[in-house]
Amino acid sequence: MSTSKLKVLGIAGSPRKNGNSEYLLEQALEEANSVYPNRVETKLYSFKGKRFSPCIACAKCIELGGECVQKDSFQELRDEWIKGDVIIYSVPVYHMGIPGQLKCFIDRLGMSLFARHGMIMPKYGKTIGVIAQGAHLFSGQEHAMTDIINHALLVGCLPISGDSWESYIGAGGWTFDEPDEDALKRHYEKGDQDAVVAVKGARSVTRRAVQFASMLKAGARLQRKMLKNEKVLSPLWERL
């Protein structure tokens, strides 16, 4: 059996550095490293200081084999996303959904992948988990999670939840209406139950995403001979 490492990419979709979304993501990536010691490679990508312009629907990426004519932070994150076996998004809630910067990336990524594979949307076969935190207990966390789940399905990936009861479709947290970048961390260290549940959910989402990714790749290796001519599965073969 191949001993190649599972690549886990954690995306902190907040424009703030070392904020609450990044704190939960760090907890998640720590869990990823503990699932299969020495067999997991993690990377944290932060949106802090990055620029993502919106898709302008110029369709030039079709002519350029998936390359976008706008040159900004999109290219570096796209390349990391393509290499990953597991993608964990950790996002703050903006207006009952994901931040605009992340939406810009997802819009352009979808079109880029479509064009890259000859005008078909391939099955990337990754596992994707989502962590969302807002100011209040009911401030749009599940709406933001659904945005990411829809994205996962559109690009042929498997959305993964954590363990109930702490996680139904993803991990959710809230900052007790405190604007501080370390609000969740402080409440977790004090033992506040809601913060403890958020961390536990973030960890379980990631643990299950890593485990399912391992099973997907193992199954793909067994079935590769039978399915090798399925062009739509080519991104999965490239990662084996």
Side-chain angles (χ1 to χ4, degrees):
M1 179 179 290
S2 171
T3 58
S4 62
K5 291 187 177 182
L6 280 172
K7 292 181 171 58
V8 181
L9 175 63
I11 298 176
S14 171
R16 297 206 295 181
K17 181 70 173 175
N18 299 323
N20 297 293
S21 293
E22 193 164 319
Y23 170 70
L24 290 175
L25 185 57
E26 288 169 348
Q27 295 287 321
L29 295 182
E30 183 179 290
E31 183 70 19
N33 282 313
S34 74
V35 179
Y36 301 118
N38 303 316
R39 288 178 53 197
V40 172
E41 178 183 306
T42 62
K43 181 172 185 132
L44 191 154
Y45 184 95
S46 173
F47 267 57
K48 170 68 176 179
K50 304 298 174 61
R51 184 172 66 86
F52 291 88
S53 298
C55 178
I56 57 174
C58 66
K60 290 294 183 182
C61 59
I62 297 173
E63 301 173 20
L64 299 173
E67 286 300 321
C68 184
V69 295
Q70 301 185 91
K71 303 304 179 185
D72 51 21
S73 300
F74 169 75
Q75 285 76 14
E76 64 177 1
L77 181 52
R78 177 205 58 200
D79 292 347
E80 293 295 336
W81 191 97
I82 287 172
K83 290 186 291 187
D85 299 301
V86 179
I87 311 292
I88 304 295
Y89 291 92
S90 185
V91 301
V93 177
Y94 277 29
H95 207 72
M96 297 292 283
I98 61 175
Q101 297 94 323
L102 179 57
K103 182 63 165 65
C104 289
F105 169 72
I106 287 174
D107 286 346
R108 289 167 65 188
L109 179 68
M111 192 62 194
S112 175
L113 298 180
F114 183 65
R116 182 187 182 98
H117 292 275
M119 305 303 287
I120 62 168
M121 183 56 78
K123 304 297 184 186
Y124 265 81
K126 306 174 187 290
T127 58
I128 291 182
V130 57
I131 305 161
Q133 55 84 22
H136 307 286
L137 185 57
F138 303 105
S139 57
Q141 288 89 334
E142 289 183 336
H143 289 282
M145 291 177 196
T146 303
D147 287 343
I148 300 297
I149 290 169
N150 288 338
H151 150 62
L153 294 172
L154 283 170
V155 293
C157 295
L158 183 64
I160 300 292
S161 63
D163 300 334
S164 298
W165 60 269
E166 292 90 353
S167 170
Y168 284 80
I169 62 173
W174 65 297
T175 61
F176 302 79
D177 198 27
E178 296 174 11
D180 305 324
E181 294 180 353
D182 65 343
L184 266 168
K185 180 180 180 181
R186 284 190 291 98
H187 282 279
Y188 176 74
E189 290 174 349
K190 287 195 302 182
D192 289 338
Q193 186 185 28
D194 286 355
V196 170
V197 168
V199 169
K200 191 172 181 180
R203 285 180 170 270
S204 71
V205 164
T206 306
R207 170 169 286 270
R208 302 311 173 200
V210 169
Q211 290 171 336
F212 272 87
S214 178
M215 289 187 281
L216 277 170
K217 291 190 80 171
R221 290 187 185 100
L222 291 173
Q223 298 295 322
R224 186 171 186 172
K225 185 175 181 180
M226 183 175 69
L227 299 174
K228 65 181 180 180
N229 294 324
E230 291 280 357
K231 185 179 178 181
V232 75
L233 298 176
S234 61
L236 181 55
W237 308 144
E238 290 168 6
R239 297 203 316 279
L240 292 182

